[in-house]
Amino acid sequence: MNIANMLTMLRIAIVPLFVLALFAADGHDTGWRIGATVLFAVAAITDRFDGQLARKYGLVTDFGKLADPIADKALVGAALIGLSMLGDLAWWITIVICAREIGITLLRLVVVRRGVIPAGRGGKLKTLVQTLAIGVLLLPLSGGFETAGMALMYLALVLTVATGLDYVGQAVRVWLAGPGRAKES
């Protein structure tokens, strides 16, 4: 157990607290929504730091490789599902984003024996825009702020689909290259 893994564990522990805050007082109480947003922000920020710490100080572990993406998907999935349950986000958006995340995770498991596809800039941008969109939509805002949040969410949706398709293409190339060859290139 190192600091990077402890931050990942903290992020996992924040998810149920975030959900409780999001749904408190019927999900639309200003104070609870701000609290849920703060918890979401803390978890999102720790995601940034745990990866940097792990790489910079050689703290990368098998546990971290497994737990970090689980923590990410649990947080984003809980936020999207919660917002949809509260009527603040269309279900189709939640379904598309969650289906992409689950599908790519399963694809990674299939392809990993033939090679690893590193996270690219597009995936990092997708995560950033998803996080910003969710953060804005969690806040008890209306008018132009709500519109801006939805615009960010639509951008996140486009990036989610585009990077998902790109990842599928990369996975096909790795698979066709055969075991071991993709790791050499």
Side-chain angles (χ1 to χ4, degrees):
M1 194 53 64
N2 59 47
I3 187 68
N5 287 343
M6 287 192 283
L7 287 172
T8 298
M9 295 295 290
L10 173 65
R11 213 162 67 249
I12 291 169
I14 287 174
V15 173
L17 298 175
F18 160 74
V19 171
L20 288 173
L22 181 60
F23 284 101
D26 294 328
H28 290 99
D29 176 79
T30 299
W32 283 108
R33 283 299 280 262
I34 290 171
T37 305
V38 168
L39 288 167
F40 182 84
V42 167
I45 290 167
T46 61
D47 178 36
R48 177 86 171 136
F49 289 127
D50 69 359
Q52 285 180 337
L53 287 170
R55 286 184 295 278
K56 184 175 181 177
Y57 296 106
L59 303 174
V60 176
T61 65
D62 288 340
F63 172 80
K65 289 178 190 176
L66 178 65
D68 186 67
I70 290 170
D72 296 343
K73 286 165 185 36
L75 180 66
V76 169
L80 292 171
I81 291 167
L83 287 167
S84 291
M85 289 176 71
L86 293 170
D88 296 336
L89 182 65
W91 274 104
W92 71 268
I93 294 172
T94 296
I95 290 168
V96 168
I97 292 174
C98 289
R100 183 269 192 204
E101 297 301 334
I102 292 167
I104 295 302
T105 299
L106 294 174
L107 186 59
R108 279 187 173 133
L109 293 174
V110 169
V111 175
V112 73
R113 291 177 189 248
R114 296 198 179 229
V116 175
I117 301 168
R121 285 185 177 151
K124 292 176 182 179
L125 179 61
K126 174 227 26 143
T127 300
L128 174 65
V129 175
Q130 277 181 356
T131 302
L132 290 173
I134 291 168
V136 172
L137 292 176
L138 286 170
L139 287 169
L141 304 171
S142 60
F145 291 108
E146 186 177 12
T147 303
M150 282 310 301
L152 279 170
M153 185 55 73
Y154 287 125
L155 177 58
L157 185 66
V158 168
L159 290 169
T160 298
V161 172
T163 57
L165 292 172
D166 179 57
Y167 192 89
V168 169
Q170 290 182 59
V172 168
R173 287 189 293 279
V174 166
W175 186 263
L176 294 176
R181 283 194 236 158
K183 291 178 186 175
E184 296 168 8
S185 59

